[in-house]
Amino acid sequence: MKKIITSIIVALPMFAVAQTAVDAYSVSQTDLKGSARYMSMAGAYSALGGDLSSINHNPGGIGVYRSSDVGLTLNLDIQSSEASTNGLSSKVNQTKFNVNNFGYVGAFRLNSETMPYLNFGFSYNRPVSYNRRYSGRMDNIKQSLSNYIADVTNSGGYTTYDLAYFDDSDPYLDSHAPWLSIMAYNSYIINPQSKDSYGDGNNFTGLMNGATQGFSEYEVIEKGGVDEFSINLGGNVLDMLYWGLGLGVSSMDLSKYTYYGEALNDATVVNNDNGQLDKNGTASFGLENWLNTSGNGLNFKFGVIVKPIQELRLGLSIHTPTYWNMVDQIYSTMSYETISNTGFKKTGLEEANAGYADEVSYKIKSPWRFNVSAATVLGSKLILSGEYEMVAYKDMNIQYEYDYDMYQEDPQVSASIKDYYKNMNIFRIGAEYRLMPSVSLRLGYAYQSSPVNEDALRDKIDIITSGTMPAYVFDKSTQYITGGVGYRNKGFYTDLAYVHKKKASEYKAFAPTSHGVQCANITDNNNQIVWSIGYRF
């Protein structure tokens, strides 16, 4: 437990937001997004090419083109998130509309037998959508956020002198104490058990004692996504080797609202203005955070497709990390009410940083991605395709902005990335059958393993969270079941896809302590209807 609390203290500087491994992952997530044809085959398209979104996964696919192409893809996402714990469950539904992809490829014939075509393309893609909402309740809780904060505060050696307001001092600006500790002290959910000869309190306690009973509630709302504009160049060599290079310019915007609250009976609360404690009071509090994350990034991609015989395609692609410049703004409040058994009452709303949003700048390096793929084309009727992709989450990196616009890596956060995360494996298979010359049917399946190490998932190691946001989510496995139909008539084409996505995650209200952790199982079942339309000329 001491190791846990010490590492958390290091990660909580005087400002509200200190980015951690968990935040690096949220920026670096991957999803199945693209054209309807690509998605209907579960993304197993990297060895085939010739598709406006597939060239962003394997740029070598642009070399397959022998004619120019322009197209647009729209996506209707019907989302359902269910949170469950201790026999209680809560489901939230919402529907979102997005533009998945639009782009253009120009095919230019060269007077060369060695390289007959040189192709150029640009496109817009939304590789990740953050739209998600879930909420729930936990009954008969055995841990309290207040006791977790008290442990953090005690381990840092902080006293009321570091946490309280004075006539000429604001603890959020003038103290090195964590903002979560300052908020909790001024909301009376942590209180000193002793004072020195100068009246400075220390040895803090939370609300929960051995007899305390109660429940907690939580809610998370996420909105936004990642937009990527890409420029691709490629060609083919002897109609056997297709190559491509890609430059991606990304922008990100994530708005996140989180709420966590508790209601407790027989709680340890203040009994009078002198700070004496009563173990038989009642208490309730609610912690709210509003976070906006924005940033811009740059990445490079390289890929090839080899056609050793007419019936076989082999693909390879490498994606460099996206190098992000990020800015976070966060606003935090804590509402509270405590009543002792003598009727002494404290109630109010504590706003961190006097109600002003805090801002921090930092850099993130997302993971490397490697993809190998193979496809067979059997006559003019059947295509079978499969691929494997590895996402190297262990290689993520965060650098913080310090004085004079200098950025510096935090060794402890880098170490925690390797402790929490491992390389993620993605398997995709897809098939297309030409029912008639102008109509094709498609099916696909994809499996995405958990990127989280087992020790982190099972609460066996310390977890660093950021600032006033103690909650975090660890993703487990994700599965996609897909299907679709396509129509071709001369240069015109249109495709329709259905994609079912099932994702399992665990929500943790705060980092594990010696008393365990409050957690809930989150299951996302998303159904997407994807429509593409385009023209080749």
Side-chain angles (χ1 to χ4, degrees), residues 207-209 211-213 263-271 277-284 337-344:
L207 298 171
M208 182 167 280
N209 57 65
T212 305
Q213 296 180 335
L264 305 172
N265 295 318
D266 293 323
T268 302
V269 300
V270 291
N271 195 33
L277 301 180
D278 170 22
K279 290 189 175 183
N280 301 113
T282 61
S284 62
E337 180 179 271
T338 65
I339 306 175
S340 71
N341 63 356
T342 61
F344 185 76

Side-chain angles (χ1 to χ4, degrees), residues 490-510:
K490 298 181 180 179
F492 172 79
Y493 65 87
T494 185
D495 300 291
L496 190 66
Y498 166 77
V499 178
H500 174 73
K501 173 185 176 181
K502 184 174 183 179
K503 179 178 180 179
S505 309
E506 271 195 1
Y507 165 89
K508 315 274 187 172
F510 44 88

Side-chain angles (χ1 to χ4, degrees), residues 100-175:
N100 265 12
N101 165 270
F102 66 81
Y104 164 80
V105 168
F108 302 95
R109 184 188 294 272
L110 304 178
N111 293 321
S112 171
E113 293 184 2
T114 303
M115 185 177 291
Y117 283 88
L118 183 65
N119 303 331
F120 168 81
F122 63 86
S123 65
Y124 159 82
N125 298 276
R126 169 156 280 212
V128 178
S129 175
Y130 292 115
N131 294 318
R132 193 183 192 192
R133 180 179 179 182
Y134 54 90
S135 61
R137 170 172 165 151
M138 304 179 193
D139 279 348
N140 302 315
I141 58 176
K142 304 301 181 183
Q143 313 87 24
S144 170
L145 176 61
S146 63
N147 291 68
Y148 163 79
I149 299 173
D151 288 342
V152 169
T153 309
N154 292 334
S155 293
Y158 299 107
T159 69
T160 56
Y161 181 81
D162 302 298
L163 308 179
Y165 291 94
F166 297 100
D167 292 339
D168 58 348
S169 175
D170 181 339
Y172 294 102
L173 302 178
D174 302 323
S175 168

Side-chain angles (χ1 to χ4, degrees), residues 267-332:
T268 302
V269 300
V270 291
N271 195 33
N272 52 49
D273 286 325
N274 293 324
Q276 293 179 336
L277 301 180
D278 170 22
K279 290 189 175 183
N280 301 113
T282 61
S284 62
F285 66 89
L287 172 64
E288 293 181 283
N289 283 284
W290 291 263
L291 170 68
N292 181 261
T293 299
S294 59
N296 297 292
L298 193 68
N299 62 67
F300 299 91
K301 305 179 182 76
F302 168 75
V304 294
I305 297 174
V306 180
K307 185 174 68 173
I309 59 175
Q310 186 62 33
E311 294 80 14
L312 181 64
R313 313 283 195 275
L314 302 174
L316 170 69
S317 65
I318 299 173
H319 297 199
T320 73
T322 299
Y323 296 89
W324 291 97
N325 291 308
M326 309 294 296
V327 176
D328 278 6
Q329 292 182 319
I330 188 167
Y331 168 64
S332 308

Side-chain angles (χ1 to χ4, degrees), residues 504-519:
S505 309
E506 271 195 1
Y507 165 89
K508 315 274 187 172
F510 44 88
T513 70
S514 59
H515 302 290
V517 62
Q518 290 190 35
C519 65

